[in-house]
């Protein structure tokens, strides 16, 4: 498996993913685990991640953003529960019943549509009410709750099964007053739901950072995303966890990105490299051309910034990242041959390039860097 006949591929470690699932399950002992596989499973490849999670008994739900992602999960063998976090077009609501999906609901039009659907199909629909606690994104406010309650009362097969919220400010800080405030809002809104006769069975608020740092946010279910794939939500989360005196090696990254040298060339001192002539050699230079560009998700902001690994050594990017190609300096790496493997993310010998490191060099976060890995790159499951 170390040498597939490809020029651009992603390797997914089954053992790393299994280890991360175990670590998450241990953190929330007995709660329902609803990991997020939105954004093509954070760029890892939705079909591959679903096929691996299907084998794990510890995962109860998968959380998706779109109805299309929910269908991909079903088509790749996921028969357990599905939580739909994002919006669904009213014209596509039938799929909720057909595919047995549990939507998070944040408007009365959708809730009404689901009620009618439950009546027409005779199927129970489990809805999750998204509560506004201070993120000001999808939730509904206290004054909208009676209208929701009325719709639930009208349709007996429409169940107020879940209630959820999402924290605005856990991963970006080591001070967590705002999260505490949102948690209090959530508890009080759930109490209102109970008073209105639509109390939820399953409450869920925690993404990775909340789940890792605050057991009070666990309730009956958690929705970790980035940590499933072996990444910390942020340095602040890592530091906060460390300050609580806990150990830091909970997760292991599941993804490695590889390519091959597809051209070698020797150039003289004083020559330019690539578009815009942004790099000029100061000595004779040996270059390797790689068939990777910003189309693949190798951010153009990495031009002249990052490096790749060849034969266990760092090869710095020279010049601009192109659409489909990039150039790296291998002057100091002896014996590089055409089609030798190259590591863009992952380990090679004693060196390692992390998604966090590339994200910092590109001026973004690990989430974005991973989510933007092109879905067209082949994904191979290893070990
Ligand atoms: C993406 C998402 C999550 C997972 O967040 P991570 O920070 O990746 O753990 C949880 N809940 C909701 C509503 C989300 O949109």
């Amino acid at each position: 498996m170390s040498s597939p006949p490809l020029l651009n591929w992603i390797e997914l470690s089954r053992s790393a993913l299994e280890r991360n699932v175990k670590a998450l399950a241990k953190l929330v002992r007995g709660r329902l685990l609803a990991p997020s596989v939105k954004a093509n499973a954070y760029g890892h490849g939705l079909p591959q991640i679903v096929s691996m999670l299907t084998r794990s008994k510890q995962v109860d739900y998968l959380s998706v953003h779109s109805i299309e992602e929910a269908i991909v999960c079903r088509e790749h063998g996921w028969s357990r529960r599905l939580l739909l976090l994002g919006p669904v077009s009213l014209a596509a609501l039938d799929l909720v019943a057909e595919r047995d999906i549990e939507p998070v609901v944040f408007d009365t039009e959708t809730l009404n549509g689901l009620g009618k659907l439950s009546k027409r199909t005779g199927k129970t629909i489990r809805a999750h009410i998204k509560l506004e606690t201070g993120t000001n994104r999808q939730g509904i406010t206290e004054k909208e709750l009676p209208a929701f309650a009325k719709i639930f009362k009208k349709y007996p097969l429409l169940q107020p099964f879940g209630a959820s919220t999402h924290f605005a400010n856990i991963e970006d800080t080591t001070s967590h007053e705002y999260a505490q405030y949102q948690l209090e809002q959530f508890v009080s809104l759930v109490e209102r739901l109970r008073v209105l006769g639509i109390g939820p069975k399953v409450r869920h608020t925690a993404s990775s950072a909340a789940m890792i740092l605050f057991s009070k946010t666990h309730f009956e279910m958690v929705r970790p995303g980035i940590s499933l794939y072996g990444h910390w939500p942020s340095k602040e989360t890592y530091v906060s966890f460390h300050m609580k005196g806990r150990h830091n090696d909970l997760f292991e990254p599941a993804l490695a990105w590889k390519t091959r040298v597809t051209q070698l060339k020797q150039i003289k001192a004083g020559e330019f490299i690539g578009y815009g002539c942004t790099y000029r050699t100061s000595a004779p230079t040996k270059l390797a051309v790689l068939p990777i560009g910003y189309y693949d998700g190798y951010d153009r902001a990495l031009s002249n910034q990052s490096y790749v690994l060849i034969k266990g050594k760092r090869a710095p990017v020279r010049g601009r990242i192109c659409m489909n190609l990039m150039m790296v300096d291998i002057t100091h790496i002896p014996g590089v041959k055409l089609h030798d493997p190259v590591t863009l993310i992952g380990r090679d010998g004693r060196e390692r390039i992390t998604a966090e490191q590339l994200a910092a060099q590109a001026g973004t976060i690990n989430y974005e860097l991973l989510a933007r890995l092109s879905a067209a790159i082949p994904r191979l499951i290893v070990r």
Side-chain angles (χ1 to χ4, degrees):
M1 186 52 83
S2 64
S3 227
L6 295 164
L7 297 178
N8 177 14
W9 72 99
I10 282 170
E11 293 177 0
L12 301 169
S13 159
R14 183 188 294 280
S15 61
L17 192 78
E18 283 170 358
R19 177 192 160 149
N20 299 336
V21 169
K22 282 203 187 92
L24 293 172
K26 198 172 159 204
L27 271 176
V28 295
R29 264 181 266 114
R31 268 84 172 194
L32 295 169
L33 205 55
S36 168
V37 294
K38 67 196 183 196
N40 197 26
Y42 288 52
H44 288 62
L46 183 55
Q48 292 79 6
I49 294 294
V50 169
S51 79
M52 286 192 273
L53 292 180
T54 300
R55 289 170 42 154
S56 164
K57 298 228 163 26
Q58 287 171 304
V59 179
D60 305 285
Y61 273 78
L62 293 182
S63 303
V64 296
H65 171 70
S66 68
I67 203 105
E68 290 79 9
E69 291 169 348
I71 290 168
V72 172
C73 293
R74 287 287 181 242
E75 286 178 352
H76 286 85
W78 183 256
S79 56
R80 280 167 251 167
R81 294 188 170 188
L82 277 173
L83 182 69
L84 177 60
L85 301 171
V88 48
S89 135
L90 294 176
L93 276 186
D94 282 13
L95 290 166
V96 166
E98 275 167 35
R99 299 291 186 151
D100 194 13
I101 296 164
E102 300 180 22
V104 174
V105 187
F106 31 85
D107 62 81
T108 49
E109 291 85 346
T110 303
L111 194 64
N112 243 318
L114 291 169
K116 286 184 192 146
L117 179 66
S118 69
K119 194 172 167 187
R120 181 157 49 79
T121 59
K123 285 186 180 166
T124 299
I125 292 174
R126 291 191 204 91
H128 297 246
I129 305 169
K130 184 72 174 264
L131 297 168
E132 182 52 66
T133 59
T135 302
N136 284 312
R137 197 168 69 173
Q138 286 174 313
I140 61 163
T141 58
E142 183 164 8
K143 72 176 197 306
E144 298 167 273
L145 297 181
F148 262 56
K150 222 169 132 187
I151 299 169
F152 279 114
K153 299 261 164 66
K154 186 167 166 197
Y155 299 103
L157 289 176
L158 180 62
Q159 271 188 21
F161 187 71
S164 73
T165 197
H166 193 55
F167 295 105
N169 199 26
I170 286 194
E171 49 276 84
D172 297 313
T173 173
T174 51
S175 85
H176 295 105
E177 295 86 28
Y178 198 67
Q180 186 58 40
Y181 162 79
Q182 285 192 275
L183 190 59
E184 284 158 18
Q185 294 299 302
F186 180 73
V187 168
S188 115
L189 287 170
V190 168
E191 194 43 46
R192 282 289 296 151
L193 294 178
R194 297 233 154 92
V195 170
L196 289 164
I198 52 168
K201 287 200 169 66
V202 172
R203 295 164 295 173
H204 46 102
T205 68
S207 59
S208 298
M211 171 173 172
I212 293 165
L213 296 177
F214 302 110
S215 55
K216 265 193 184 159
T217 65
H218 294 176
F219 297 102
E220 286 77 41
M221 180 159 94
V222 294
R223 310 181 305 259
I226 196 125
S227 54
L228 172 73
Y229 309 97
H231 296 268
W232 285 79
S234 64
K235 270 194 187 134
E236 289 79 358
T237 308
Y238 185 91
V239 168
S240 298
F241 191 72
H242 199 70
M243 289 188 327
K244 288 170 180 251
R246 325 265 270 283
H247 74 96
N248 284 329
D249 55 348
L250 283 179
F251 313 116
E252 190 185 331
L255 178 147
W257 187 12
K258 309 272 177 77
T259 184
R260 291 180 189 281
V261 172
T262 49
Q263 193 174 0
L264 288 158
K265 56 175 57 180
Q266 180 69 49
I267 62 174
K268 297 201 256 318
E271 293 200 50
F272 295 112
I273 299 170
Y275 290 128
C277 297
T278 61
Y279 190 88
R280 190 171 204 173
T281 55
S282 52
T285 297
K286 199 167 181 201
L287 280 186
V289 183
L290 312 177
I292 299 292
Y294 53 79
Y295 168 65
D296 302 288
Y298 204 89
D299 202 305
R300 189 164 172 278
L302 294 169
S303 300
N304 288 309
Q305 294 297 317
S306 57
Y307 57 84
V308 303
L309 301 175
I310 302 178
K311 293 184 174 295
K313 295 206 164 58
R314 300 180 183 195
V317 170
R318 298 296 191 222
R320 292 228 179 109
I321 304 295
C322 316
M323 189 180 282
N324 295 117
L325 296 167
M326 59 193 268
M327 288 72 84
V328 297
D329 190 337
I330 53 162
T331 312
H332 57 295
I333 311 176
V336 177
K337 292 189 298 294
L338 189 72
H339 294 174
D340 272 353
V342 178
T343 300
L344 302 159
I345 298 177
R347 280 181 200 283
D348 182 1
R350 300 170 69 172
E351 288 280 357
R352 176 181 205 179
I353 298 171
T354 63
E356 288 67 28
Q357 183 185 327
L358 278 189
Q361 285 166 334
T364 182
I365 54 172
N366 50 4
Y367 290 79
E368 184 182 5
L369 190 117
L370 290 167
R372 291 201 164 179
L373 294 175
S374 166
I377 304 170
R379 267 78 171 166
L380 311 175
I381 297 171
V382 299
R383 271 173 290 151

